[in-house]
Amino acid sequence: MLHHSIQGALNHRKNILAAGLGQVAAIAGIAVGTRLLTEFADPDTYGEAKLLIGLTALVIGMVVRPFTQFAMREFHDAATVGNEWKLHAYAFRGQLLISTTTAVLLTAGLLLYNPPTSPIAWITPLAVGAMLIGQALFELEQSMVVTRNQQVSASILIVVRQWSLPLGSV
């Protein structure tokens, strides 16, 4: 039994290596981004960046991810009948609608909760909305690539996503 497991791992070593290296690079991105934030950002900027990242993660987890999971579950059924690209297009449009609506509501809520007193103060609420839309669409694409079992592409997308969150906040 163990021999079959080892043989299976050897047969899929390219995918295992791609997934593993992707995770290592993603962790490095988080570490570098966090270090840059703590090194170069003053406490107020750091707090706003963490708020932006936290709000984006919370909203994506509550509102966006369920639709992404639906698309992943439906993918194999659609692929069986040759409609995987139709499902992908439908999922993209749905994700765009959900994330844009949520981003507009969240941005409006942030603006009402803490009205900007200067032109620069508009940046954080607008950045939260833009980041939510970008991350939602990026997560959908990453999930669809994983569902298609394209491990190298999935690992690249994971690295890009993990490096972009903290670096984009700076």
Side-chain angles (χ1 to χ4, degrees), residues 67 83-96 140-141 144 148:
F67 188 78
N83 288 334
E84 65 266 17
W85 294 108
K86 286 182 183 178
L87 173 69
H88 193 156
Y90 167 78
F92 185 85
R93 286 190 311 271
Q95 192 78 302
L96 183 61
L140 175 68
E141 292 305 314
M144 296 304 275
R148 286 189 198 102

Side-chain angles (χ1 to χ4, degrees), residues 15 25 29 63 77 84 90 98-100 121 130 150 170:
N15 287 340
V63 179
D77 290 340
E84 65 266 17
Y90 167 78
I98 290 168
S99 62
T100 303
Q150 297 171 332
V170 174

Side-chain angles (χ1 to χ4, degrees), residues 93-168:
R93 286 190 311 271
Q95 192 78 302
L96 183 61
L97 177 64
I98 290 168
S99 62
T100 303
T101 303
T102 305
V104 167
L105 293 173
L106 182 61
T107 301
L110 287 172
L111 290 171
L112 291 173
Y113 175 73
N114 189 14
T117 56
S118 68
I120 196 80
W122 286 85
I123 292 174
T124 299
L126 294 174
V128 168
M131 187 173 252
L132 187 133
I133 294 168
Q135 286 295 312
L137 295 176
F138 202 87
E139 184 172 302
L140 175 68
E141 292 305 314
Q142 177 187 337
S143 298
M144 296 304 275
V145 168
V146 168
T147 302
R148 286 189 198 102
N149 202 23
Q150 297 171 332
Q151 298 302 324
V152 174
S153 299
S155 291
I156 291 169
L157 289 175
I158 288 169
V159 171
V160 169
R161 180 176 178 211
Q162 295 297 8
W163 279 75
S164 69
L165 272 172
L167 294 178

Side-chain angles (χ1 to χ4, degrees), residues 34-69:
T34 302
R35 178 70 179 149
L36 286 173
L37 278 174
T38 58
E39 183 72 26
F40 296 111
D42 61 68
D44 288 340
T45 304
Y46 181 76
E48 285 188 13
K50 292 307 270 183
L51 171 68
L52 185 146
I53 292 169
L55 276 175
T56 302
L58 176 68
V59 172
I60 283 177
M62 290 176 54
V63 179
V64 173
R65 193 158 290 132
F67 188 78
T68 300
Q69 291 172 351

